[in-house]
Amino acid sequence: MRTLIDYVRSGAADLTNRQMALLLLVYLTPGPHTVRGLARILGVSKPVVTRALNTLGGLGYLRRERDQDDRRNVFVVRTSDGTNFLEGFKRFLRADDSGNGSRPAIGLRPDQREPAFAHP
């Protein structure tokens, strides 16, 4: 519980469970990812995924990209900002597990406080 409270207080983007699930799904499962496929996996409608993607895209955590082979298809892809956010969140959770009282800054661009992390 303390981790979640500290996360909310950190000033990082306050993601909903749906947004976090979508973000983790894209980052932790092999792609390519489409709105239709993500909606099917999560058991929600395409508009629900689109709204979450709009928010996550606005934060720079995910991006829509047209398929170069079939321009009708749109893929949901990772970004370096999304990688940085999740790396910070992972460190945040590890700090709680280790009992370390210091909390890393998460959800910040490298020019704001912390160094960039390599994009997978």
Side-chain angles (χ1 to χ4, degrees):
M1 181 64 134
R2 179 167 181 239
T3 300
L4 288 175
I5 291 170
D6 289 342
Y7 165 66
V8 170
R9 290 179 180 168
S10 73
D14 194 10
L15 302 182
T16 65
N17 288 333
R18 183 174 290 155
Q19 292 163 351
M20 185 62 97
L22 182 61
L23 187 65
L24 290 171
L25 186 58
V26 171
Y27 277 83
L28 298 177
T29 62
H33 299 286
T34 62
V35 171
R36 176 175 288 152
L38 293 167
R40 186 183 71 251
I41 291 168
L42 292 172
V44 297
S45 68
K46 290 189 307 183
V48 166
V49 171
T50 297
R51 282 191 301 274
L53 284 174
N54 288 344
T55 299
L56 294 168
L59 293 167
Y61 295 167
L62 293 174
R63 184 178 79 247
R64 291 176 178 96
E65 190 174 274
R66 285 236 177 250
D67 180 358
Q68 294 305 311
D69 296 329
D70 184 347
R71 304 286 295 163
R72 295 171 296 176
N73 292 330
V74 177
F75 296 128
V76 178
V77 298
R78 304 168 182 159
T79 67
S80 57
D81 284 348
T83 299
N84 289 341
F85 171 79
L86 289 175
E87 284 295 323
F89 192 75
K90 182 169 56 175
R91 286 191 314 277
F92 201 87
L93 292 172
R94 283 185 183 149
D96 192 51
D97 286 344
S98 69
N100 181 354
S102 64
R103 296 285 181 216
I106 62 172
L108 301 174
R109 291 189 312 270
D111 61 333
Q112 289 176 307
R113 266 199 275 176
E114 65 181 46
F117 297 94
H119 191 313

